[in-house]
Amino acid sequence: MLRNVFTLTPRSKRLIMIMFGVTVVTLIIAYLYYENYNQADDPRTKDIKQMYGRYNQYVRENNAYKALAVLDSMETAYNSINHYSDSFETGVINTDKAAIYITMALYQTNDEVEKKTYLAIADSSLTRSLTIYNRWEENYAELDEATIISIVEEDFADITHKREKIIERRI
């Protein structure tokens, strides 16, 4: 009975081959596009991207102290690069710190004073994160595209390799 339902006629075989071809072409185009896009990373942040790998590993291992140390290093690195100090990336780092402190308060201690300390630090990190996000938006939300391009081009003046692609991605 199922054999009758799934009988492949020459026409359905041709349709399957066409759909397969379209799928392969689409995947190749997507690969080439995103490969090119992903290579447009700011080379000044390459080490920070590697730190994210260590951070994720420490989170998987439930090693909060090492994860926090890596986040601190990442924030310091971002703050040392023109254009990234007080950028949304540092806001993300502070949000990640808050998540770790909340997790520590919930699962790593039974001491109420310690829990409150962790939650206070988490609150401080989230407040800092919101301040960074709001400042970032205030600085850029009202600007026209030409002004943003000018700012980013100036902040990325020291980059020579794939500069246009990096600037385009950042904008």
Side-chain angles (χ1 to χ4, degrees):
M1 180 164 155
L2 282 177
R3 180 172 281 188
N4 293 336
V5 174
F6 294 110
T7 302
L8 292 177
T9 65
R11 185 175 175 176
S12 55
K13 287 179 185 178
R14 190 173 28 237
L15 179 63
I16 289 171
M17 292 304 292
I18 290 170
M19 294 303 294
F20 179 76
V22 168
T23 302
V24 168
V25 168
T26 302
L27 289 173
I28 290 170
I29 291 170
Y31 173 79
L32 293 173
Y33 173 80
Y34 285 108
E35 180 69 17
N36 190 33
Y37 181 80
N38 289 334
Q39 289 178 357
D41 278 339
D42 184 345
R44 301 173 299 178
T45 64
K46 181 181 176 189
D47 293 339
I48 299 169
K49 304 278 189 228
Q50 291 174 346
M51 286 184 219
Y52 259 118
R54 287 200 319 269
Y55 162 73
N56 288 327
Q57 176 186 346
Y58 293 142
V59 167
R60 280 191 303 274
E61 294 170 357
N62 202 23
N63 191 333
Y65 297 107
K66 285 187 177 180
L68 287 168
V70 170
L71 287 173
D72 286 340
S73 297
M74 291 166 60
E75 186 172 23
T76 300
Y78 272 129
N79 287 332
S80 71
I81 302 170
N82 191 25
H83 185 79
Y84 289 97
S85 58
D86 287 332
S87 69
F88 70 88
E89 287 90 352
T90 56
V92 171
I93 289 171
N94 279 280
T95 302
D96 290 344
K97 287 180 184 180
I100 291 172
Y101 282 113
I102 290 170
T103 301
M104 291 170 69
L106 291 173
Y107 302 110
Q108 292 188 359
T109 185
N110 291 323
D111 182 279
E112 288 302 315
V113 173
E114 195 172 10
K115 280 183 189 243
K116 287 181 180 179
T117 302
Y118 288 148
L119 291 174
I121 296 170
D123 182 59
S124 175
S125 292
L126 285 174
T127 300
R128 173 146 168 71
S129 184
L130 287 171
T131 301
I132 291 167
Y133 290 139
N134 290 334
R135 189 176 314 126
W136 183 261
E137 186 176 23
E138 286 172 15
N139 289 340
Y140 290 95
E142 299 298 319
L143 300 177
D144 60 30
E145 186 174 348
T147 305
I148 292 173
I149 290 169
S150 173
I151 291 169
V152 175
E153 284 179 342
E154 184 178 321
D155 288 346
F156 286 65
D158 58 331
I159 295 176
T160 56
H161 184 67
K162 295 189 178 185
R163 183 171 185 267
E164 292 79 22
K165 288 182 182 185
I166 293 168
I167 289 171
E168 181 182 330
R169 182 173 182 185
R170 187 63 183 176
I171 292 168

